[in-house]
Amino acid sequence: MTDKPKGRILLSITGFNPRRWHELLSARRDVVLEPDGPADPSIEYAVVWKQRPNLLATLPNLKAIFSIGAGVDHLFADPGLPDVPIVRVVAENLTQYMVEYVCWRVLDHHRQGALYRAQQKRKVWHEPPQAPADQVSVGIMGLGQLGGAAANALIALGYRVNGWTRTPKTVDGVTTFSGNDGLSDFLAATDILVVLLPLTPGTTGIVDYALLSKLRRDNAIGGAVLINAGRGKLQKDADIVRALDDGMLKEASLDVFETEPLPRTSAIWTHPKVFVTPHAAATSDPAHLAPPMLDQMDAFDRGEPLRNLVDRKAGY
Ligand code: NDP
Ligand code: OXD
């Protein structure tokens, strides 16, 4: 049996049970759930999801932080986040889950799933008019790993696809827009809005009533639709309810919410025009994600560069 590398991993997770991550990571490195005091010299890597604030601040030999998720807003919420490289999740398995979620929700809204479910309840046999996919424009906010893959899948299904990014981008088959200057035109050309942005100071609360009211409503599917699988704090929950109630929005699929779990008192739970999932669009699967994290740690120890690094200035 070969010896494990000396540097230990600090596994700091809140909100779910770390057992599976612990098992998988400790196959190749020593893993602890708490450091041996605030200046534990044995910790070289941290694997985190919503880590306890200031926990990482004083570890003298910390070389890199690995986020258990693709989004890293949970990390930046820590006022004591040390200045070491941050690696986020980029994985085929996670991307595939997100592509499935986006295609599922776009197809359901486009093919009038809510209407058919209501008809079935009343035993109604009625075929409403149906627009083909090439008359429907899906606009994706965020054309990164997840948004880019979702765009390709939607194009393959026959949709027209628009994309909105922070920096200008060219993507085959996608009509692209960028920055504040491009936002209104992007929205005016979009029937189904898919939000796959990271949560940063520049995107917090961006999906509000004013933004929703700029979507194209006079369209082949009878109204504008919102799908948010990015982060809850990108949106204003109350503005979405208002837009659904006054007809600015036809329907919404929401995987994320300003407060999670979605409070039982929220009007969203019972809103007839909303489809709710519990932040489950693309769940990080430790069996797929832990081995490449360990490979990266070994490679970094050998002097090789880390991949999928977060740009601290951009915040994602
Ligand atoms: P990436 O970092 O690969 O892509 C982010 C995209 O958002 C880029 O296209 C970027 O633009 C764009 N963007 C960032 N800031 C702005 C801005 N201010 N204005 C316009 N566009 C902006 O992220 P991923 O695709 O990997 O993930 C996206 C998000 O999905 C994650 O941050 C996470 O919050 C969420 N997520 C949700 C999950 C769920 O289960 N609900 C699961 C996994 C992730 P540019 O191309 O110019 O850089
Ligand atoms: C992620 C998530 O960011 O699960 O990966 O939300």
Side-chain angles (χ1 to χ4, degrees):
M1 208 174 110
T2 52
D3 287 340
K4 288 181 180 175
K6 278 211 310 274
R8 297 202 295 174
I9 297 174
L10 172 65
L11 177 63
S12 181
I13 292 180
T14 55
F16 64 95
N17 190 333
R19 188 184 51 81
R20 188 73 184 124
W21 280 96
H22 193 282
E23 256 170 37
L24 289 159
L25 293 170
S26 48
R28 285 170 45 189
R29 280 194 184 245
D30 287 332
V31 180
V32 291
L33 297 175
E34 285 292 334
D36 297 338
D40 185 343
S42 72
I43 310 285
E44 292 187 358
Y45 295 101
V47 174
V48 304
W49 179 258
K50 298 183 182 168
Q51 77 275 9
R52 198 150 46 73
N54 298 312
L55 179 67
L56 310 178
T58 53
L59 298 171
N61 295 322
L62 188 67
K63 292 189 196 169
I65 302 170
F66 287 74
S67 165
I68 270 174
V72 289
D73 45 293
H74 65 103
L75 268 160
F76 287 116
D78 180 351
L81 186 66
D83 189 12
V84 297
I86 300 169
V87 178
R88 70 186 194 95
V89 167
V90 174
E92 257 180 50
N93 160 266
L94 189 90
T95 303
Q96 175 62 25
Y97 278 137
M98 187 57 86
V99 168
E100 289 168 6
Y101 172 85
V102 171
C103 291
W104 171 41
R105 298 321 311 149
V106 167
L107 281 163
D108 188 57
H109 290 293
H110 161 217
R111 295 301 303 258
Q112 310 184 67
L115 176 67
Y116 283 119
R117 284 187 288 275
Q119 286 191 178
Q120 186 177 348
K121 259 195 190 151
R122 293 182 288 119
K123 300 184 182 167
V124 170
W125 187 271
H126 166 67
E127 189 185 347
Q130 179 62 54
D134 67 2
Q135 287 179 21
V136 181
S137 288
V138 183
I140 307 179
M141 295 178 91
L143 278 184
Q145 292 294 329
L146 303 178
N152 289 333
L154 292 167
I155 291 167
L157 287 170
Y159 291 100
R160 292 191 222 155
V161 178
N162 303 318
W164 184 69
T165 51
R166 186 173 62 89
T167 55
K169 242 190 162 134
T170 309
V171 180
D172 266 0
V174 180
T175 308
T176 52
F177 304 80
S178 63
N180 284 339
D181 292 349
L183 185 55
S184 294
D185 289 345
F186 162 79
L187 296 167
T190 291
D191 307 319
I192 300 180
L193 180 69
V194 176
V195 184
L196 279 174
L197 290 167
L199 183 68
T200 68
T203 60
T204 302
I206 191 168
V207 182
D208 61 5
Y209 186 81
L211 179 140
L212 295 172
S213 62
K214 291 183 184 161
L215 289 166
R216 184 162 65 191
R217 285 183 299 285
D218 183 13
N219 60 22
I221 55 169
V225 170
L226 167 69
I227 299 171
N228 186 5
R231 280 287 181 270
K233 287 190 166 56
L234 295 168
Q235 76 195 22
K236 301 257 173 69
D237 288 8
D239 286 20
I240 294 172
V241 172
R242 178 181 161 204
L244 288 163
D245 288 345
D246 71 9
M248 283 291 171
L249 271 184
K250 182 186 174 210
E251 293 169 357
S253 283
L254 303 174
D255 184 58
V256 289
F257 305 90
E258 273 184 88
T259 304
E260 293 180 9
L262 181 62
R264 290 180 64 82
T265 50
S266 168
I268 290 176
W269 275 118
T270 50
H271 201 290
K273 297 179 180 170
V274 188
F275 185 90
V276 171
T277 44
H279 198 140
T283 299
S284 290
D285 176 355
H288 282 86
L289 305 185
M293 276 182 190
L294 289 161
D295 290 346
Q296 282 231 66
M297 293 173 198
D298 293 348
F300 198 52
D301 284 353
R302 291 192 300 270
E304 294 166 30
L306 291 165
R307 287 175 289 109
N308 307 322
L309 286 171
V310 170
D311 173 347
R312 289 181 87 109
K313 200 157 157 255
Y316 65 97

